[in-house]
Amino acid sequence: QVVESCVAAAGYSVGEFAALVFAGALGFAEALYAVKVRAEAMQKASEAVPSGMLSVIGRREANYKFACLEARKHCESLGIENPVCEISNYLFPDSRVIAGHLQALEFLQENARKYYFTRTKMLPVSGAFHTRLMEPAVEPLAEVLKSIEIQKPLVCVYSNVNGKKYMHSKHIEKLLTKQVVSPVMWEQTMHSVYERKQGTEFPYTYEVGPGKQLGAILKKCNLKAWKQYNHVDALEDQEAAE
């Protein structure tokens, strides 16, 4: 009943492929192959440059873009050409993930107070995902997506790239490729999904998969919508069935 009455789907980063499979836009096996190619290409791009991702919670007055600009200037002073330091994930108000060269991220941690960052934490990942350092991964994924049959989704699926609904199959192909080097606009997506007239009830929301991180983000983006939130741990259900 939940599946049949579903009105929208969205997935965070690689989870967008799962959302598109759920919506009937991609076949499961083809999506899995595309994810494999994407992961291998992104890993290869990561190995080319010492880079990473920094989770940041800031005060209201935090200026993330200015902080990134100063971190890039710091890298240039160290002799790094074309340094990368940019917002790679918009999580919820006052929370961002910044990604780029390791030296830039270290600079931001050391100067956290200057930029009104209340908490910074390096993420346990191998590279600066969703930045231009992932450009070498674009072509391999684009090639795979060209070879896959993509259908128009049966339910609305929201894109990480702009927080808006996918319109047609070519749109999906284009934005899934662009997503590799673009910030994940998750906070903006949450506002798009739950935008409704005053007094309209919020739908039930199900987070499917390991962890409840997206539920925690939803709570910070939209408390009323979060009150209708449920978590479905697919692995737990599978283990119980076995």
Side-chain angles (χ1 to χ4, degrees):
Q1 191 186 356
V2 167
V3 172
E4 283 170 9
S5 60
C6 181
V7 292
Y12 185 93
S13 189
V14 72
E16 198 160 283
F17 286 84
L20 288 162
V21 170
F22 171 79
L26 296 175
F28 179 75
E30 290 89 343
L32 213 54
Y33 178 62
V35 165
K36 176 180 181 284
V37 169
R38 177 184 181 273
E40 288 170 353
M42 287 170 85
Q43 180 59 35
K44 196 174 174 187
S46 299
E47 288 163 6
V49 177
S51 57
M53 302 179 85
L54 182 73
S55 173
V56 177
I57 292 178
R59 285 170 33 198
R60 286 274 165 90
E61 54 268 57
N63 185 331
Y64 302 93
K65 289 188 176 172
F66 176 67
C68 289
L69 174 68
E70 293 218 319
R72 288 196 297 272
K73 283 181 179 170
H74 168 71
C75 286
E76 283 169 356
S77 75
L78 299 175
I80 298 169
E81 285 184 30
N82 298 321
V84 172
C85 182
E86 56 200 56
I87 296 170
S88 62
N89 305 72
Y90 291 81
L91 300 179
F92 53 85
D94 307 322
S95 179
R96 307 278 183 269
V97 175
I98 294 174
H101 281 80
L102 282 180
Q103 295 90 333
L105 304 182
E106 285 159 5
F107 172 83
L108 291 178
Q109 281 192 296
E110 285 161 17
N111 294 278
R113 287 181 69 181
K114 178 185 174 182
Y115 302 116
Y116 302 103
F117 296 166
T118 53
R119 202 173 87 205
T120 61
K121 184 186 175 189
M122 287 296 291
L123 298 179
V125 295
S126 57
F129 304 135
H130 301 291
T131 71
R132 59 185 173 85
L133 286 175
M134 290 295 116
E135 270 169 12
V138 169
E139 198 51 42
L141 179 60
E143 287 301 312
V144 172
L145 292 173
K146 272 186 201 141
S147 69
I148 291 175
E149 193 179 348
I150 303 174
Q151 309 283 349
K152 190 178 177 186
L154 299 171
V155 297
C156 295
V157 179
Y158 289 79
S159 164
N160 285 182
V161 171
N162 56 16
K164 295 175 182 172
K165 296 172 191 172
Y166 279 116
M167 305 308 289
H168 47 76
S169 56
K170 279 282 169 206
H171 196 214
I172 293 170
E173 184 186 319
K174 181 184 170 188
L175 291 190
L176 273 184
T177 307
K178 197 176 175 186
Q179 192 229 57
V180 173
V181 290
S182 303
V184 174
M185 311 288 262
W186 193 254
E187 182 186 340
Q188 294 84 338
T189 300
M190 292 297 91
H191 294 318
S192 296
V193 170
Y194 297 104
E195 188 181 10
R196 58 223 329 103
K197 285 180 184 155
Q198 192 82 25
T200 310
E201 281 194 14
F202 285 97
Y204 286 100
T205 297
Y206 295 89
E207 179 177 359
V208 184
K212 300 177 184 178
Q213 292 92 331
L214 298 181
I217 292 173
L218 175 59
K219 188 176 184 181
K220 288 185 161 61
C221 287
N222 191 322
L223 186 59
K224 284 184 180 174
W226 174 79
K227 286 177 179 170
Q228 303 278 50
Y229 163 87
N230 294 278
H231 175 246
V232 181
D233 191 325
L235 293 175
E236 261 180 27
D237 290 352
Q238 192 181 344
E239 284 161 10
E242 284 168 1

